[in-house]
Amino acid sequence: MSEPRFAIGIDLGTTHSALAYVDLAASDGEKTVLGVLDIPQLTAPGEVEAPALLPSFLYLPHADEFAAGALSLPWGDDQDYAVGELARSRGATTPIRLVSSAKSWLCHPGVDRRAAILPNDAPEEVTRVSPLDASIRYLAHLREAWDYAHPEAPFGAQDITVTIPASFDPAARELTAEAARTAGYASLTLLEEPQAALYNWIQTSEGGWRKEVKPGDIILVVDVGGGTSDFSLIAVVERDGNLELHRVAVGDHILLGGDNMDLALAHVLARKLAATGSQLDPWQLRALTYACRSAKEHLLSDPELNAVPIVVPSRGSKLIGGSLRTELTRDEVTAIILDGFFPLVEIAERPLSRARGGLTRLGLPYAQDAAITRHLAAFLGRQVAATAELEGFIGKPNAAASFLHPTAVLFNGGVFKSDILIERTIATVNGWLAAEEAAPVRMLAGADLDLAVARGAAYYSYVRRGGGVRIRGGTARAYYVGVESAMPAVPGMEPPMQALCIAPFGMEEGTEMELPSSQAQEFGLVVGEPVHLRFFGSSVRRQDAIGTMLDFWQPDELQELEEIRATLPPEGRQPGEVVQVKLLAKATETGTLELVAVSRSGGERWNVEFNVRGSEG
């Protein structure tokens, strides 16, 4: 294969996707030539425009809804679906045919991500697709748009980085990589979105970042996008006279972002309409939610705009005459989002939870507490010791501190187009710091919030080839497999569960680790039958080495993830025979975690997979 001409970065976002690139031939060191691809897409039937963002929406029309050729794109024949702006606008009036938040569904452990389940509340006559398939279509659209614009530099010959939330677990990472490979991404690396935002900050500074941070700094990245809230901590270390950046912590996966805000705004307008005697049915409420998304984006991005008109379509035969009209005001957006999602809270507060009902409709497992600031307080509280064992870190920890004290903050995500939300978040964090007599944080100025992640991913693709500054860190969690203790049967009592560390915190990409040879740490797996193993992750247990066996742990130390599965073909053995195996863990260069079972006697290797078929799989 010829050497790549470009380093490409792709932000596969919940609400928007984007593609940026670095011209490798014209870049040197930290001086890079970076561009953003304009993405051709349908904006109306038969009409193609090329904005910088591709809305991450898929519309599945009725067979007779569009005329022949109306969904054609510049690089291909007619297709039976629409991706991008037309999908978003058409779906606002016909939501039962709109696939949205595919990225959030892709990491939902309670469903089969390869099953055709979206749109999740569509009637039977509507064709459905899987979260994996929807992601493939977005990624394929970006590849085809690149090849259309750059026939001299085929996409498959370039270095590609696709971003994911830092909180994605191994199963969601592997599914994203699978979607990219299926979409034709030959050379692929995954990168955490908060890191991409910081890479963008480094790239835009053209070397000036070294004057804005110093050894001992702790950078808090707050990334609130359409579907998730992501938090990361990156420490600044000096080694051999050079500044290094080390990612020391990431937060839990929190399904809380712009989608939740759109729904909250929709309910506010629904109450406003109800006060005039107009009751909305579920279909109309969904259409109103999509309308609120667009109105919110306009109000947050245009300080001169005070209100946006909203039209809720009727479901009757008099579609136009029966439409309901209202408006979303700037004051409503500010009040709902500021007080509901960014309240001023104390550092000791934690996210609230409520008892769930025994039955619930299929849907995304959204965070139960909408207060992003409470989730941030919990994250910083859990990570109070995140830098304690970081070699060379000169920050002065406060033994009495109740949370890790950041010194700088970088914001990312479309939500932070509003200065009011940035100011509220900084005021909240500085209030926590002042209460413990710590210096206030300073804000690191970012670039275009819509494009920062794609730009940063492109820069990272360039950095991996030896140029620029790289953020270190390895795996963001330690991973464990559950081991059932051997004990006599006791009525009414389950055997105690131990947790065996199979991948330590910070495991570097491209490394493979083997469990220490010990009879107590061998597994007996049955040949010819699927075996299910419990799987755990921890973002706080940094000291556990591979092979560490935990007899007990605190509830907030380990979180149970999707189970892992192994099916060992007989390969000359009798079906049902128990084979003694050891487990290997590998942090791949791609950014995924691979597990392998190796026979103690024959040396055979079997891949151990993450369960991506839901809780019933």
Side-chain angles (χ1 to χ4, degrees):
M1 178 182 290
S2 61
E3 282 293 302
R5 167 69 191 277
F6 296 97
I8 295 176
I10 289 177
D11 175 11
L12 181 62
T14 305
T15 54
H16 291 93
S17 296
L19 187 156
Y21 56 93
V22 170
D23 186 335
L24 296 174
S27 301
D28 182 32
E30 292 187 40
K31 303 293 184 180
T32 54
V33 176
L34 192 149
V36 174
L37 179 71
D38 291 332
I39 306 168
Q41 58 195 275
L42 290 160
T43 56
E47 296 182 15
V48 175
E49 296 181 17
L53 296 175
L54 176 73
S56 301
F57 296 88
L58 170 66
Y59 187 74
L60 304 169
H62 185 276
D64 300 324
E65 188 170 344
F66 295 107
L71 299 182
S72 295
L73 290 164
W75 50 79
D77 297 330
D78 195 15
Q79 58 188 18
D80 60 357
Y81 62 88
V83 165
E85 183 56 42
L86 174 61
R88 178 170 66 171
S89 60
R90 196 78 169 198
T93 56
T94 314
I96 59 173
R97 293 186 172 274
L98 181 67
V99 175
S100 63
S101 302
K103 178 177 170 182
S104 297
W105 285 98
L106 197 67
C107 66
H108 187 348
V111 301
D112 182 352
R113 271 78 47 97
R114 293 193 177 97
I117 59 174
L118 300 179
N120 68 299
D121 55 356
E124 291 185 5
E125 65 269 17
V126 174
T127 301
R128 299 191 187 200
V129 299
S130 70
L132 180 65
D133 185 55
S135 302
I136 291 169
R137 296 191 193 194
Y138 303 148
L139 290 166
H141 188 106
L142 294 169
R143 174 181 57 77
E144 290 165 333
W146 172 271
D147 284 338
Y148 178 72
H150 297 275
E152 80 291 350
F155 187 89
Q158 314 310 314
D159 273 351
I160 314 296
T161 296
V162 175
T163 62
I164 54 173
S167 51
F168 259 22
D169 66 15
R173 289 170 182 256
E174 180 54 41
L175 279 166
T176 305
E178 180 182 339
R181 289 191 295 265
T182 305
Y185 290 42
S187 175
L188 172 70
T189 302
L190 300 179
L191 176 67
E192 297 167 6
E193 289 163 4
Q195 284 195 53
L198 192 63
Y199 274 118
N200 173 70
W201 173 72
I202 293 170
Q203 187 273 331
T204 54
S205 76
E206 296 186 336
W209 68 274
R210 293 180 177 84
K211 299 178 181 178
E212 294 192 49
V213 296
K214 61 185 183 301
D217 271 340
I218 300 173
I219 303 170
L220 167 65
V221 183
V222 181
D223 183 356
V224 182
T228 58
S229 292
D230 248 0
F231 311 125
S232 290
L233 291 167
I234 298 170
V236 183
V237 176
E238 184 176 15
R239 290 182 181 167
D240 301 324
N242 297 315
L243 289 185
E244 292 185 358
L245 299 171
H246 287 257
R247 193 261 286 111
V248 295
V250 301
D252 294 332
H253 191 68
I254 308 171
L255 276 183
L256 176 60
D259 289 352
N260 307 71
M261 299 173 192
D262 301 334
L263 185 59
L265 294 170
H267 280 283
V268 169
L269 295 190
R271 289 195 294 269
K272 187 190 296 187
L273 287 167
T276 65
S278 300
Q279 295 291 336
L280 303 185
D281 63 24
W283 183 89
Q284 289 175 306
L285 180 61
R286 187 172 176 185
L288 178 60
T289 302
Y290 288 118
C292 284
R293 170 181 287 149
S294 177
K296 176 200 69 182
E297 291 173 355
H298 286 303
L299 288 166
L300 290 178
S301 61
D302 185 354
E304 302 299 321
L305 199 59
N306 292 316
V308 173
I310 300 285
V311 178
V312 183
S314 166
R315 299 195 70 180
S317 57
K318 297 180 180 179
L319 184 60
I320 303 301
S323 297
L324 303 174
R325 298 177 182 274
T326 183
E327 67 175 12
L328 182 65
T329 68
R330 173 176 296 279
D331 290 343
E332 288 168 335
V333 170
T334 301
I336 295 301
I337 296 180
L338 194 67
D339 297 334
F341 293 86
F342 292 88
L344 286 168
V345 299
E346 299 297 327
I347 185 60
E349 292 192 40
R350 294 295 181 262
L352 306 175
S353 60
R354 55 178 172 78
R356 294 185 180 272
L359 293 175
T360 182
R361 289 177 61 89
L362 175 65
L364 291 170
Y366 289 115
Q368 291 183 287
D369 191 331
I372 291 170
T373 43
R374 283 198 194 95
H375 291 282
L376 179 56
F379 168 65
L380 293 175
R382 283 195 306 272
Q383 301 298 338
V384 64
T387 60
E389 298 180 12
L390 179 59
E391 182 182 353
F393 184 70
I394 64 171
K396 298 179 175 60
N398 181 351
S402 65
F403 68 102
L404 188 70
H405 295 171
T407 58
V409 60
L410 177 70
F411 292 97
N412 189 57
V415 167
F416 289 115
K417 290 179 181 178
S418 169
D419 291 339
I420 296 173
L421 301 184
I422 290 177
E423 293 165 2
R424 168 59 65 89
T425 306
I426 289 179
T428 303
V429 173
N430 281 339
W432 300 340
L433 292 167
E436 298 193 356
E437 300 181 345
V441 295
R442 59 190 186 278
M443 190 178 91
L444 303 179
D448 186 338
L449 291 170
D450 285 329
L451 297 170
V453 168
R455 290 174 180 268
Y459 181 68
Y460 174 72
S461 282
Y462 166 71
V463 166
R464 292 185 73 246
R465 301 185 59 82
V469 180
R470 187 164 183 176
I471 301 170
R472 305 291 176 179
T475 56
R477 288 176 174 78
Y479 295 102
Y480 306 77
V481 64
V483 181
E484 195 173 276
S485 300
M487 63 172 290
V490 177
M493 177 180 175
E494 292 186 359
M497 178 66 66
Q498 296 174 298
L500 174 64
C501 181
I502 55 176
F505 185 95
M507 185 176 176
E508 292 289 342
E509 293 88 349
T511 59
E512 182 175 280
M513 291 189 176
E514 177 181 333
L515 288 173
S517 179
S518 168
Q519 186 67 31
Q521 294 173 353
E522 289 185 353
F523 293 92
L525 297 184
V526 180
V527 172
E529 298 178 9
V531 177
H532 301 257
L533 302 172
R534 294 177 68 181
F535 189 53
F536 302 85
S538 175
S539 62
V540 295
R541 295 191 64 94
R542 293 172 172 78
Q543 73 281 12
D544 291 343
I546 188 168
T548 299
M549 183 75 82
L550 305 182
D551 293 316
F552 59 88
W553 53 87
Q554 298 299 321
D556 60 348
E557 286 188 299
L558 264 64
Q559 291 78 45
E560 186 158 7
L561 307 175
E562 290 143 282
E563 64 183 14
I564 54 180
R565 305 186 301 179
T567 301
L568 282 58
E571 296 184 356
R573 294 183 171 88
Q574 293 295 321
E577 180 181 341
V578 177
V579 179
Q580 295 297 316
V581 300
K582 57 186 177 182
L583 290 180
L584 301 181
K586 180 179 181 180
T588 71
E589 292 285 359
T590 300
T592 60
L593 182 69
E594 292 182 357
L595 301 177
V596 180
V598 181
S599 168
R600 286 287 189 185
S601 57
E604 302 100 326
R605 296 168 68 97
W606 296 276
N607 288 333
V608 180
E609 299 178 345
F610 302 103
N611 177 25
V612 296
R613 299 194 180 277
S615 57
E616 302 300 321

PDB file of all heavy atoms in Angstrom, residues 179-196:
ATOM      1  N   ALA A 179     -18.351  -1.304  12.830  1.00  0.00           N
ATOM      2  CA  ALA A 179     -19.116  -0.457  11.910  1.00  0.00           C
ATOM      3  C   ALA A 179     -18.185   0.234  10.920  1.00  0.00           C
ATOM      4  O   ALA A 179     -18.476   0.316   9.725  1.00  0.00           O
ATOM      5  CB  ALA A 179     -19.916   0.575  12.699  1.00  0.00           C
ATOM      6  N   ALA A 180     -17.054   0.734  11.409  1.00  0.00           N
ATOM      7  CA  ALA A 180     -16.109   1.424  10.527  1.00  0.00           C
ATOM      8  C   ALA A 180     -15.500   0.463   9.514  1.00  0.00           C
ATOM      9  O   ALA A 180     -15.385   0.788   8.321  1.00  0.00           O
ATOM     10  CB  ALA A 180     -15.021   2.099  11.359  1.00  0.00           C
ATOM     11  N   ARG A 181     -15.118  -0.722   9.955  1.00  0.00           N
ATOM     12  CA  ARG A 181     -14.544  -1.688   9.019  1.00  0.00           C
ATOM     13  C   ARG A 181     -15.559  -2.076   7.943  1.00  0.00           C
ATOM     14  O   ARG A 181     -15.225  -2.185   6.758  1.00  0.00           O
ATOM     15  CB  ARG A 181     -14.053  -2.923   9.779  1.00  0.00           C
ATOM     16  CG  ARG A 181     -12.813  -2.689  10.631  1.00  0.00           C
ATOM     17  CD  ARG A 181     -12.248  -4.002  11.131  1.00  0.00           C
ATOM     18  NE  ARG A 181     -13.145  -4.688  12.039  1.00  0.00           N
ATOM     19  CZ  ARG A 181     -13.095  -4.593  13.361  1.00  0.00           C
ATOM     20  NH1 ARG A 181     -12.189  -3.808  13.938  1.00  0.00           N
ATOM     21  NH2 ARG A 181     -13.945  -5.256  14.126  1.00  0.00           N
ATOM     22  N   THR A 182     -16.801  -2.270   8.350  1.00  0.00           N
ATOM     23  CA  THR A 182     -17.843  -2.634   7.388  1.00  0.00           C
ATOM     24  C   THR A 182     -18.097  -1.505   6.392  1.00  0.00           C
ATOM     25  O   THR A 182     -18.426  -1.754   5.228  1.00  0.00           O
ATOM     26  CB  THR A 182     -19.149  -2.979   8.129  1.00  0.00           C
ATOM     27  OG1 THR A 182     -18.887  -4.009   9.090  1.00  0.00           O
ATOM     28  CG2 THR A 182     -20.215  -3.463   7.169  1.00  0.00           C
ATOM     29  N   ALA A 183     -17.917  -0.263   6.846  1.00  0.00           N
ATOM     30  CA  ALA A 183     -18.127   0.895   5.972  1.00  0.00           C
ATOM     31  C   ALA A 183     -16.941   1.157   5.061  1.00  0.00           C
ATOM     32  O   ALA A 183     -16.955   2.124   4.289  1.00  0.00           O
ATOM     33  CB  ALA A 183     -18.424   2.132   6.815  1.00  0.00           C
ATOM     34  N   GLY A 184     -15.898   0.321   5.142  1.00  0.00           N
ATOM     35  CA  GLY A 184     -14.769   0.465   4.236  1.00  0.00           C
ATOM     36  C   GLY A 184     -13.584   1.208   4.797  1.00  0.00           C
ATOM     37  O   GLY A 184     -12.747   1.711   4.038  1.00  0.00           O
ATOM     38  N   TYR A 185     -13.466   1.271   6.129  1.00  0.00           N
ATOM     39  CA  TYR A 185     -12.338   1.950   6.757  1.00  0.00           C
ATOM     40  C   TYR A 185     -11.216   0.926   6.961  1.00  0.00           C
ATOM     41  O   TYR A 185     -11.245   0.121   7.888  1.00  0.00           O
ATOM     42  CB  TYR A 185     -12.756   2.545   8.104  1.00  0.00           C
ATOM     43  CG  TYR A 185     -13.692   3.726   8.001  1.00  0.00           C
ATOM     44  CD1 TYR A 185     -14.756   3.743   7.099  1.00  0.00           C
ATOM     45  CD2 TYR A 185     -13.532   4.833   8.811  1.00  0.00           C
ATOM     46  CE1 TYR A 185     -15.610   4.813   6.994  1.00  0.00           C
ATOM     47  CE2 TYR A 185     -14.389   5.925   8.728  1.00  0.00           C
ATOM     48  CZ  TYR A 185     -15.428   5.906   7.814  1.00  0.00           C
ATOM     49  OH  TYR A 185     -16.288   6.979   7.727  1.00  0.00           O
ATOM     50  N   ALA A 186     -10.218   0.978   6.106  1.00  0.00           N
ATOM     51  CA  ALA A 186      -9.158  -0.036   6.131  1.00  0.00           C
ATOM     52  C   ALA A 186      -8.158   0.213   7.255  1.00  0.00           C
ATOM     53  O   ALA A 186      -7.757  -0.708   7.970  1.00  0.00           O
ATOM     54  CB  ALA A 186      -8.444  -0.073   4.779  1.00  0.00           C
ATOM     55  N   SER A 187      -7.728   1.453   7.421  1.00  0.00           N
ATOM     56  CA  SER A 187      -6.743   1.811   8.445  1.00  0.00           C
ATOM     57  C   SER A 187      -7.450   2.633   9.508  1.00  0.00           C
ATOM     58  O   SER A 187      -7.779   3.794   9.295  1.00  0.00           O
ATOM     59  CB  SER A 187      -5.596   2.614   7.815  1.00  0.00           C
ATOM     60  OG  SER A 187      -4.700   3.070   8.810  1.00  0.00           O
ATOM     61  N   LEU A 188      -7.690   2.024  10.666  1.00  0.00           N
ATOM     62  CA  LEU A 188      -8.590   2.639  11.651  1.00  0.00           C
ATOM     63  C   LEU A 188      -7.975   2.681  13.039  1.00  0.00           C
ATOM     64  O   LEU A 188      -7.357   1.724  13.495  1.00  0.00           O
ATOM     65  CB  LEU A 188      -9.899   1.843  11.716  1.00  0.00           C
ATOM     66  CG  LEU A 188     -10.882   2.232  12.827  1.00  0.00           C
ATOM     67  CD1 LEU A 188     -11.487   3.605  12.526  1.00  0.00           C
ATOM     68  CD2 LEU A 188     -11.964   1.186  12.981  1.00  0.00           C
ATOM     69  N   THR A 189      -8.175   3.820  13.719  1.00  0.00           N
ATOM     70  CA  THR A 189      -7.842   3.973  15.137  1.00  0.00           C
ATOM     71  C   THR A 189      -9.020   4.666  15.810  1.00  0.00           C
ATOM     72  O   THR A 189      -9.665   5.536  15.213  1.00  0.00           O
ATOM     73  CB  THR A 189      -6.569   4.823  15.318  1.00  0.00           C
ATOM     74  OG1 THR A 189      -5.486   4.209  14.620  1.00  0.00           O
ATOM     75  CG2 THR A 189      -6.208   4.938  16.786  1.00  0.00           C
ATOM     76  N   LEU A 190      -9.318   4.277  17.049  1.00  0.00           N
ATOM     77  CA  LEU A 190     -10.349   4.940  17.839  1.00  0.00           C
ATOM     78  C   LEU A 190      -9.703   5.900  18.830  1.00  0.00           C
ATOM     79  O   LEU A 190      -8.635   5.614  19.385  1.00  0.00           O
ATOM     80  CB  LEU A 190     -11.192   3.909  18.599  1.00  0.00           C
ATOM     81  CG  LEU A 190     -11.936   2.877  17.756  1.00  0.00           C
ATOM     82  CD1 LEU A 190     -12.695   1.907  18.651  1.00  0.00           C
ATOM     83  CD2 LEU A 190     -12.884   3.547  16.771  1.00  0.00           C
ATOM     84  N   LEU A 191     -10.346   7.030  19.070  1.00  0.00           N
ATOM     85  CA  LEU A 191      -9.825   8.053  19.980  1.00  0.00           C
ATOM     86  C   LEU A 191     -10.967   8.592  20.824  1.00  0.00           C
ATOM     87  O   LEU A 191     -12.062   8.837  20.328  1.00  0.00           O
ATOM     88  CB  LEU A 191      -9.183   9.198  19.188  1.00  0.00           C
ATOM     89  CG  LEU A 191      -8.674  10.391  20.006  1.00  0.00           C
ATOM     90  CD1 LEU A 191      -7.491   9.986  20.882  1.00  0.00           C
ATOM     91  CD2 LEU A 191      -8.285  11.548  19.084  1.00  0.00           C
ATOM     92  N   GLU A 192     -10.706   8.779  22.111  1.00  0.00           N
ATOM     93  CA  GLU A 192     -11.719   9.328  23.013  1.00  0.00           C
ATOM     94  C   GLU A 192     -11.986  10.795  22.678  1.00  0.00           C
ATOM     95  O   GLU A 192     -11.061  11.568  22.443  1.00  0.00           O
ATOM     96  CB  GLU A 192     -11.252   9.188  24.463  1.00  0.00           C
ATOM     97  CG  GLU A 192     -11.074   7.751  24.904  1.00  0.00           C
ATOM     98  CD  GLU A 192     -10.324   7.624  26.224  1.00  0.00           C
ATOM     99  OE1 GLU A 192     -10.046   8.665  26.842  1.00  0.00           O
ATOM    100  OE2 GLU A 192     -10.014   6.481  26.610  1.00  0.00           O
ATOM    101  N   GLU A 193     -13.253  11.168  22.684  1.00  0.00           N
ATOM    102  CA  GLU A 193     -13.651  12.515  22.267  1.00  0.00           C
ATOM    103  C   GLU A 193     -13.033  13.625  23.117  1.00  0.00           C
ATOM    104  O   GLU A 193     -12.576  14.645  22.560  1.00  0.00           O
ATOM    105  CB  GLU A 193     -15.176  12.617  22.265  1.00  0.00           C
ATOM    106  CG  GLU A 193     -15.807  11.814  21.133  1.00  0.00           C
ATOM    107  CD  GLU A 193     -17.288  11.559  21.329  1.00  0.00           C
ATOM    108  OE1 GLU A 193     -17.854  12.074  22.321  1.00  0.00           O
ATOM    109  OE2 GLU A 193     -17.884  10.835  20.509  1.00  0.00           O
ATOM    110  N   PRO A 194     -12.996  13.505  24.456  1.00  0.00           N
ATOM    111  CA  PRO A 194     -12.345  14.583  25.220  1.00  0.00           C
ATOM    112  C   PRO A 194     -10.869  14.756  24.861  1.00  0.00           C
ATOM    113  O   PRO A 194     -10.361  15.874  24.836  1.00  0.00           O
ATOM    114  CB  PRO A 194     -12.524  14.130  26.674  1.00  0.00           C
ATOM    115  CG  PRO A 194     -13.741  13.261  26.656  1.00  0.00           C
ATOM    116  CD  PRO A 194     -13.662  12.527  25.340  1.00  0.00           C
ATOM    117  N   GLN A 195     -10.182  13.647  24.578  1.00  0.00           N
ATOM    118  CA  GLN A 195      -8.799  13.762  24.133  1.00  0.00           C
ATOM    119  C   GLN A 195      -8.726  14.475  22.791  1.00  0.00           C
ATOM    120  O   GLN A 195      -7.840  15.303  22.554  1.00  0.00           O
ATOM    121  CB  GLN A 195      -8.153  12.385  24.016  1.00  0.00           C
ATOM    122  CG  GLN A 195      -7.776  11.749  25.343  1.00  0.00           C
ATOM    123  CD  GLN A 195      -6.825  10.590  25.152  1.00  0.00           C
ATOM    124  OE1 GLN A 195      -5.785  10.717  24.516  1.00  0.00           O
ATOM    125  NE2 GLN A 195      -7.180   9.440  25.705  1.00  0.00           N
ATOM    126  N   ALA A 196      -9.671  14.149  21.895  1.00  0.00           N
ATOM    127  CA  ALA A 196      -9.697  14.822  20.591  1.00  0.00           C
ATOM    128  C   ALA A 196      -9.876  16.326  20.761  1.00  0.00           C
ATOM    129  O   ALA A 196      -9.240  17.126  20.069  1.00  0.00           O
ATOM    130  CB  ALA A 196     -10.811  14.242  19.729  1.00  0.00           C
TER     131      ALA A 196
END
